[in-house]
Amino acid sequence: MQVDRELAAAEAGARLDGIRIWVVEDDPEWRGMVVDELEYHGAEVRGIDSVEALYRELAVDRCDILVLDVGLPGEDGLSATGHLRRMDGMGIVLVTGRSGTADMAHGLSVGADVYLPKPLELPVLVAALHSLHRRMSQSAPALAAAGETVAAWSLRSDGWDLQAPSGKVLTLTVAERGFLRELFAAHGEAVERERLIAAVTDQPWDFDPHRLEVLVHRLRTRVRNATGAMLPVRALRGVGYLLASEPAA
């Protein structure tokens, strides 16, 4: 009974609200269980069945954390981790039946942030993901400790990273990057909806305008969860959007 209470308390404190987590696993039953569990804890989850399919997804979108099985058909999780580690800002959790010390050391050496052996209890995975995301959110340079502050929001890494005034960073998706680059380029002026839609899709003629509102809502939520700050994007009825604060030079 005491163990059950402790587990319930741990789960209550391990919310994953707004975190974009992709689960790469070839076993459809286990993949479905993991996806359901992470969605229950508030994550935005996508299930993927191979590394090859993962690469196709990454060509057009980004995630915050990958949960990557080692024993995948085709390219395995260890090989993929070595390639994916070059993508800044993405956490990688390796899950595998190989639980030996040497296997764990190899997984961490090729770039995994966390190495979890099977059989894996889902509450352990949730807690590990929560802990990893917290560390990622705190990994931005401690500017305040050096007596400096960041004056405004800014885009870094060729527009892929949004940096908050606190110095915390959120890695953006392709659509979010296109949207924010237009707003930053406008230097506080309003940007028309049509121009923003053209920036987030290659097929603006087939884009439901309401999806732009959904994108902005999700972006605000992700920014708040990752940085603790409110993104200063304002909607102007009948016009479009503007960035209320001046971006850093």
Side-chain angles (χ1 to χ4, degrees), residues 73-93:
E75 184 175 359
D76 65 27
L78 288 172
S79 173
T81 298
H83 296 131
L84 296 170
R85 188 68 286 166
R86 302 166 190 166
M87 300 180 67
D88 293 336
M90 183 171 64
I92 300 177
V93 175

Side-chain angles (χ1 to χ4, degrees), residues 90-249:
M90 183 171 64
I92 300 177
V93 175
L94 280 180
V95 179
T96 176
R98 306 172 189 174
S99 57
T101 302
D103 293 310
M104 181 179 297
H106 181 51
L108 295 173
S109 69
V110 296
D113 297 289
V114 179
Y115 189 100
L116 296 176
K118 292 180 178 179
L120 176 62
E121 297 291 337
L122 290 176
V124 173
L125 175 60
V126 170
L129 290 167
H130 180 266
S131 176
L132 173 59
H133 188 258
R134 184 175 64 245
R135 295 199 308 271
M136 290 168 59
S137 298
Q138 296 171 347
S139 64
L143 299 175
E148 302 176 53
T149 59
V150 179
W153 296 82
S154 60
L155 291 177
R156 306 297 173 90
S157 303
D158 194 30
W160 285 112
D161 291 337
L162 174 67
Q163 181 169 297
S166 64
K168 292 183 177 180
V169 172
L170 172 69
T171 299
L172 303 171
T173 67
V174 172
E176 291 167 348
R177 175 178 181 256
F179 175 80
L180 286 177
R181 291 185 82 177
E182 290 295 329
L183 293 186
F184 274 83
H187 299 290
E189 298 294 326
V191 181
E192 298 83 359
R193 293 173 63 87
E194 292 75 14
R195 178 175 157 193
L196 292 169
I197 289 173
V200 304
T201 179
D202 293 330
Q203 299 177 316
W205 58 88
D206 196 32
F207 187 88
D208 183 348
H210 294 296
R211 288 173 57 192
L212 188 63
E213 298 171 7
V214 174
L215 182 149
V216 174
H217 173 74
R218 293 179 63 178
L219 175 59
R220 284 171 172 154
T221 300
R222 292 197 337 107
V223 169
R224 184 174 65 251
N225 290 335
T227 71
M230 296 296 294
L231 182 66
V233 170
R234 290 177 50 194
L236 301 178
R237 185 179 297 275
V239 180
Y241 291 85
L242 64 79
L243 190 68
S245 63
E246 185 73 9

